[in-house]
Amino acid sequence: NAGVMQNPRHLVRRRGQEARLRCSPMKGHSHVYWYRQLPEEGLKFMVYLQKENIIDESGMPKERFSAEFPKEGPSILRIQQVVRGDSAAYFCASSPRTVLANTGELFFGEGSRLTVL
Amino acid sequence: GESVGLHLPTLSVQEGDNSIINCAYSNSASDYFIWYKQESGKGPQFIIDIRSNMDKRQGQRVTVLLNKTVKHLSLQIAATQPGDSAVYFCAEPNQFYFGTGTSLTVIP
């Protein structure tokens, strides 16, 4: 049973370009979460999605960032017009049900490391 | 918003010694916590969880203690091994928040 799959593992972009990060949750999981991790820092929550719905995007920057989790296919985190400050590791996690049900952990992928030149 | 935080950013212990990693939280209504371990270059992995109706929970070489009075929890690792070197996060899943993390280094 494959875990959470993220790709690309490493992405290099120049300032002003777009970055697209993909996340395929574990089989049977319908809830996806995106986190950002800067070097030497903790995990910062960005967005929580279920299939075709954004449930909580309180951690998402208001501009240039967007996320989706379509009915078919992986969840996508999209960063438009990247700046150097966007350089970070972006982790995706999934769960089989809402964590609000207090029923368990988040299963994390290995992360996508974005470098903006 | 309210969040979970850690007391110390780094901890070094001798191999074979016990490690204690602390975490404070601010939301008195929090009733479920998880400890994660993140090895270098990898995503966080679940270690152990605890619910607010418990004060202590034990796993294999790990114990989590929860003190609801002072809103504090700790992760104890017995007989620390080099493979335990990692960053440890406490998390309050209901609010999606993770602490800054404590970087544990095991000295052989």
Side-chain angles (χ1 to χ4, degrees), chain B residues 12-19 61 77-81 84 106-107:
Chain B
S12 295
V13 298
Q14 207 71 35
E15 182 178 357
D17 287 351
N18 296 334
S19 303
R61 284 202 305 117
I77 305 173
T80 313
Q81 302 169 1
D84 295 327
V106 181
I107 304 166

Side-chain angles (χ1 to χ4, degrees), chain A residues 34-66:
Chain A
W34 284 94
Y35 286 81
R36 176 164 62 178
Q37 186 174 39
L38 295 170
E40 307 303 318
E41 293 192 11
L43 291 157
K44 303 295 185 185
F45 168 76
M46 299 181 75
V47 62
Y48 162 39
L49 310 103
Q50 294 178 27
K51 285 283 188 181
E52 299 185 277
N53 289 304
I54 295 175
I55 307 303
D56 187 328
E57 56 180 349
S58 57
M60 192 89 101
K62 293 288 184 269
E63 297 178 349
R64 301 188 298 109
F65 285 73
S66 62

Side-chain angles (χ1 to χ4, degrees), chain B residues 7-101:
Chain B
H7 289 306
L8 295 174
T10 61
L11 177 65
S12 295
V13 298
Q14 207 71 35
E15 182 178 357
D17 287 351
N18 296 334
S19 303
I20 299 176
I21 300 171
N22 296 305
C23 181
Y25 62 96
S26 55
N27 184 358
S28 56
S30 297
D31 55 4
Y32 180 56
F33 300 92
I34 297 178
W35 281 96
Y36 288 87
K37 174 185 180 183
Q38 185 179 24
E39 296 179 19
S40 180
K42 296 187 177 182
Q45 287 188 307
F46 173 94
I47 302 175
I48 192 168
D49 60 0
I50 189 167
R51 302 186 189 280
S52 60
N53 60 350
M54 305 169 70
D55 296 323
K56 179 180 179 179
R57 189 161 189 217
Q58 286 185 294
Q60 188 176 16
R61 284 202 305 117
V62 294
T63 301
V64 56
L65 300 177
L66 176 62
N67 185 330
K68 295 179 284 295
T69 303
V70 295
K71 291 184 282 188
H72 177 273
L73 64 159
S74 65
L75 178 71
Q76 300 178 3
I77 305 173
T80 313
Q81 302 169 1
D84 295 327
S85 292
V87 177
Y88 291 82
F89 296 96
C90 61
E92 206 261 310
N94 282 354
Q95 296 189 352
F96 311 117
Y97 283 102
F98 283 67
T100 303

Side-chain angles (χ1 to χ4, degrees), chain A residues 11-115:
Chain A
L11 182 64
V12 179
R13 286 287 179 265
R14 297 191 181 278
R15 281 179 297 171
Q17 292 184 319
E18 179 180 287
R20 279 183 181 239
L21 309 176
R22 289 175 291 277
C23 170
S24 296
M26 285 184 69
K27 187 177 181 180
H29 288 193
S30 57
H31 301 259
V32 165
Y33 313 78
W34 284 94
Y35 286 81
R36 176 164 62 178
Q37 186 174 39
L38 295 170
E40 307 303 318
E41 293 192 11
L43 291 157
K44 303 295 185 185
F45 168 76
M46 299 181 75
V47 62
Y48 162 39
L49 310 103
Q50 294 178 27
K51 285 283 188 181
E52 299 185 277
N53 289 304
I54 295 175
I55 307 303
D56 187 328
E57 56 180 349
S58 57
M60 192 89 101
K62 293 288 184 269
E63 297 178 349
R64 301 188 298 109
F65 285 73
S66 62
E68 63 175 9
F69 189 16
K71 186 177 181 180
E72 301 292 337
S75 175
I76 306 287
L77 179 67
R78 181 184 179 202
I79 311 172
Q80 295 177 289
Q81 299 175 316
V82 296
V83 300
R84 289 212 173 115
D86 296 332
S87 295
Y90 292 84
F91 288 95
C92 170
S94 72
S95 69
R97 61 188 71 82
T98 173
V99 292
L100 294 177
N102 276 356
T103 51
E105 74 212 71
L106 298 180
F107 294 82
F108 282 86
E110 297 290 80
S112 291
R113 282 150 185 85
L114 172 66
T115 301

